[in-house]
Amino acid sequence: MALVPCQVLRAAILLSYCSILCNYKAIDMPAHQTYGGSWKFLTFIDLCPVCFPSMQVIQAVFFGICVLTDLSSLLTRGNDNQEQERQLKKLISLRDWMMAVLAFPVGVFVVTMFWSIYIYDRELVYPKLLDNFIPAWLNHGMHTTVLPFVLIEMRTTHHQYPSRSCGLAAVCTFAVGYILWVCWIHHVTGVWVYPLLEHLSPGVKIIFFAAVTVIINVFYLVGEVLNNYIWDTQK
């Protein structure tokens, strides 16, 4: 028996993400007042369930659906109402789809890319100036805890992945959508969301965006393989 029920873990993770989002939104940062606000940063989008506007949003929405699924499962247990069963199955399908297409690949991508670039040259992705606005614990809440949380979810719950073609198509749509959003913000403001892009020539930017899309797709495949490995082994 698990030391902590997975339902309790999900509720705790959801509360932590809500706390991170509230604290982040409460910060009086100049970037929040410019075009696109917080939604131009993939990190923020990922914490709630949106694809690229914020990693934090994606994760928060995903775990919110997980908690809602747990509550619905508890309420319908022992109930023969077929309509409620259908609704519960839809919730589970949505939860699994979000895990496969958004929560895992985008979450892992943000953590690995952020810290890789940060270690190389933090000014390219997280200028030292931000330390005056964002405390260290909040930075780790946005860029570090996402990975262990999503791995815990994968280890405690089996998720049904969509067909590989549909999954990869959805991931590509998300990636291209966010890239277009970043380009549009530059078109309107003349400033790139991420300082790294200021140093790349137009041709290199195209290669960079293509590489980003490929990497996110690779992480989708990694999630699928890892999920199958964990639960096939269990069976």
Side-chain angles (χ1 to χ4, degrees), residues 161-173:
Y161 268 59
S163 67
R164 183 166 294 180
S165 58
C166 290
L168 291 175
V171 172
C172 285
T173 299

Side-chain angles (χ1 to χ4, degrees), residues 20 23-32 38 41 43-44 56 114-115 118 122 125-143:
I20 292 171
N23 279 277
Y24 179 75
K25 292 297 291 181
I27 296 174
D28 185 20
M29 278 178 46
H32 291 176
S38 303
F41 301 113
T43 293
F44 176 77
Q56 301 303 332
F114 175 84
W115 288 111
Y118 185 97
R122 66 169 297 176
V125 67
Y126 192 83
K128 194 172 181 59
L129 175 65
L130 292 179
D131 291 341
N132 298 324
F133 301 94
I134 303 176
W137 72 267
L138 187 55
N139 179 27
H140 283 290
M142 294 188 295
H143 298 115

Side-chain angles (χ1 to χ4, degrees), residues 11-205:
I13 292 173
L14 174 61
L15 289 175
S16 70
Y17 278 138
C18 290
S19 174
I20 292 171
L21 283 171
C22 290
N23 279 277
Y24 179 75
K25 292 297 291 181
I27 296 174
D28 185 20
M29 278 178 46
H32 291 176
Q33 312 304 322
T34 58
Y35 185 83
S38 303
W39 294 96
K40 54 180 172 282
F41 301 113
L42 179 56
T43 293
F44 176 77
I45 296 175
D46 183 56
L47 256 191
C48 245
V50 186
C51 294
F52 277 92
S54 162
M55 178 183 70
Q56 301 303 332
V57 174
I58 292 175
Q59 301 294 333
V61 171
F62 168 68
F63 279 100
I65 292 175
C66 288
V67 171
L68 181 59
T69 302
D70 291 337
L71 291 175
S72 299
S73 180
L74 180 64
L75 294 174
T76 58
R77 184 174 299 171
N79 191 332
D80 294 330
N81 190 309
Q82 294 184 351
E83 179 59 29
Q84 290 182 350
E85 287 292 334
R86 280 196 294 270
Q87 296 303 320
L88 177 59
K89 288 180 179 179
K90 289 180 181 179
L91 263 180
I92 293 174
S93 296
L94 176 60
R95 178 200 67 186
D96 292 350
W97 185 89
M98 283 202 64
M99 175 65 174
V101 174
L102 298 179
F104 186 89
V106 178
V108 176
F109 172 82
V110 169
V111 173
T112 54
M113 288 296 291
F114 175 84
W115 288 111
S116 296
I117 299 175
Y118 185 97
I119 292 172
Y120 174 74
D121 183 358
R122 66 169 297 176
E123 294 298 318
L124 295 177
V125 67
Y126 192 83
K128 194 172 181 59
L129 175 65
L130 292 179
D131 291 341
N132 298 324
F133 301 94
I134 303 176
W137 72 267
L138 187 55
N139 179 27
H140 283 290
M142 294 188 295
H143 298 115
T144 305
T145 60
V146 172
L147 182 56
F149 284 169
V150 79
L151 289 176
I152 288 172
E153 170 62 21
M154 179 169 283
R155 178 63 184 81
T156 56
T157 305
H158 176 255
H159 296 275
Q160 186 67 44
Y161 268 59
S163 67
R164 183 166 294 180
S165 58
C166 290
L168 291 175
V171 172
C172 285
T173 299
F174 175 81
V176 173
Y178 183 67
I179 290 170
L180 292 176
W181 171 236
V182 169
C183 292
W184 175 254
I185 291 174
H186 176 263
H187 172 72
V188 173
T189 66
V191 177
W192 287 105
V193 172
Y194 302 102
L196 169 65
L197 297 174
E198 299 282 359
H199 302 277
L200 303 180
S201 65
V204 176
K205 282 188 181 73

